[in-house]
Amino acid sequence: WSPCPTPSSPGRDSRPGMLGMLRQSSWQCRGLAPLLARAQSSAVTSTVKANENSLPLPHEKYTDSTTWEKYQEGIRHGEPNMRTYNYMLMGGARLMGASLSRLILIKFLAQMNPSADVLALANVEVDISNLAVGKSLTVKWRGKPVFVRRRNEDEIAEANNVNLSELRDPQTDADRVRAEPEWLVLLGVCTHLGCVPIPNAGDFGGWFCPCHGSHYDISGRIRKGPAPYNLEVPPYFFTDDGKLIVG
């Protein structure tokens, strides 16, 4: 059915006024066409909305409608002993992890300690019981020479009668000896360029470095030459049985 009348084909026997009827029908069709289009669009929209309401929402595919009470019932055990077991299991795991971390830390720090051969060279023991007064000896400590001199009374007096204002690196003789003043222990390395001075030589009766002409007195203090500092005094001590421990 069409709301617009369809006239018959015009012929010779067409009645008068047919042309006016055709014109009126065309105007009626033009007015009803928009109304028909709107009605069809509304029907299609209603059908689409009905179909959308019948489909599940997207978030229902990924969420669970379980309530909080059901969730608690699922994770809780009916037996109270299981809770104690869980606590003991977690506590034991943490204790084992802490013990393992402590062991790894101790092993890491232990491997940084010096080896046995290095520790053996850390100290050197020297028997000085046979060293005569006024004599010197040289020992090796950590790859460096160490001068040990047993001074007599004149040498001690000479070392104490020095004007400190004349010294490049002022130090008293008492500051450079330990225990008895007759024993002088020095590191045999020149403070200029690391050469080894010669004992019982030089202008001051102590040590002389032939490389660049540094002169040290009987207390190991620099008196002449390019060396900027006195000979270094290493750590040492004496034992009860008359031995010297350097280091």
Side-chain angles (χ1 to χ4, degrees), residues 39-229:
Q40 292 177 357
S41 177
S42 299
V44 172
T45 304
S46 301
T47 305
V48 171
K49 290 183 177 180
N51 293 334
E52 289 180 351
N53 294 332
S54 63
L55 296 175
L57 295 177
H59 69 274
E60 293 181 356
K61 298 179 181 180
Y62 309 103
T63 59
D64 191 0
S65 59
T66 304
T67 61
W68 176 249
E69 290 75 11
K70 292 183 179 180
Y71 173 75
Q72 288 183 334
E73 292 177 359
I75 62 174
R76 290 183 176 178
H77 299 281
E79 299 181 5
N81 295 333
M82 295 299 297
R83 183 179 301 176
T84 305
Y85 171 77
N86 291 336
Y87 288 159
M88 293 181 63
L89 183 62
M90 290 187 296
R94 292 177 181 176
L95 180 61
M96 293 179 62
S99 300
L100 182 61
S101 301
R102 175 179 173 274
L103 180 61
I104 293 176
L105 180 61
I106 291 176
K107 291 293 184 181
F108 175 75
L109 296 178
Q111 62 91 22
M112 300 177 65
N113 293 331
S115 58
D117 55 345
V118 175
L119 292 175
L121 297 176
N123 299 328
V124 59
E125 182 178 325
V126 183
D127 186 5
I128 57 176
S129 58
N130 297 326
L131 186 61
V133 177
K135 299 295 181 180
S136 302
L137 63 86
T138 303
V139 296
K140 188 176 182 180
W141 173 67
R142 294 183 179 178
K144 299 178 181 180
V146 175
F147 299 147
V148 182
R149 183 177 182 88
R150 189 173 185 179
R151 301 180 298 181
N152 53 36
E153 295 295 334
D154 296 337
E155 293 174 341
I156 297 174
E158 180 183 353
N160 289 322
N161 293 331
V162 175
N163 188 3
L164 296 181
S165 61
E166 299 176 357
L167 299 178
R168 184 177 304 170
D169 185 13
Q171 273 186 321
T172 63
D173 185 68
D175 295 335
R176 300 181 55 79
V177 296
R178 300 175 183 175
E180 300 178 3
E182 64 175 342
W183 294 103
L184 180 66
V185 182
L186 303 173
L187 191 64
V189 178
C190 180
T191 58
H192 180 218
L193 292 178
C195 304
V196 179
I198 301 174
N200 301 322
D203 296 344
F204 299 90
W207 291 265
F208 171 70
C209 182
C211 298
H212 300 92
S214 296
H215 298 257
Y216 300 90
D217 63 8
I218 199 61
S219 186
R221 297 170 294 194
I222 181 64
R223 302 295 297 274
K224 182 179 178 182
Y229 304 108

Side-chain angles (χ1 to χ4, degrees), residues 7-41:
S8 60
S9 300
R12 292 182 180 180
D13 55 349
S14 299
R15 291 178 295 175
M18 184 63 67
L19 181 59
M21 294 177 61
L22 290 175
R23 291 178 179 177
Q24 185 178 3
S25 300
S26 63
W27 283 104
Q28 291 177 354
C29 291
R30 292 178 182 177
L32 293 175
L35 297 176
L36 292 175
R38 292 178 183 176
Q40 292 177 357
S41 177

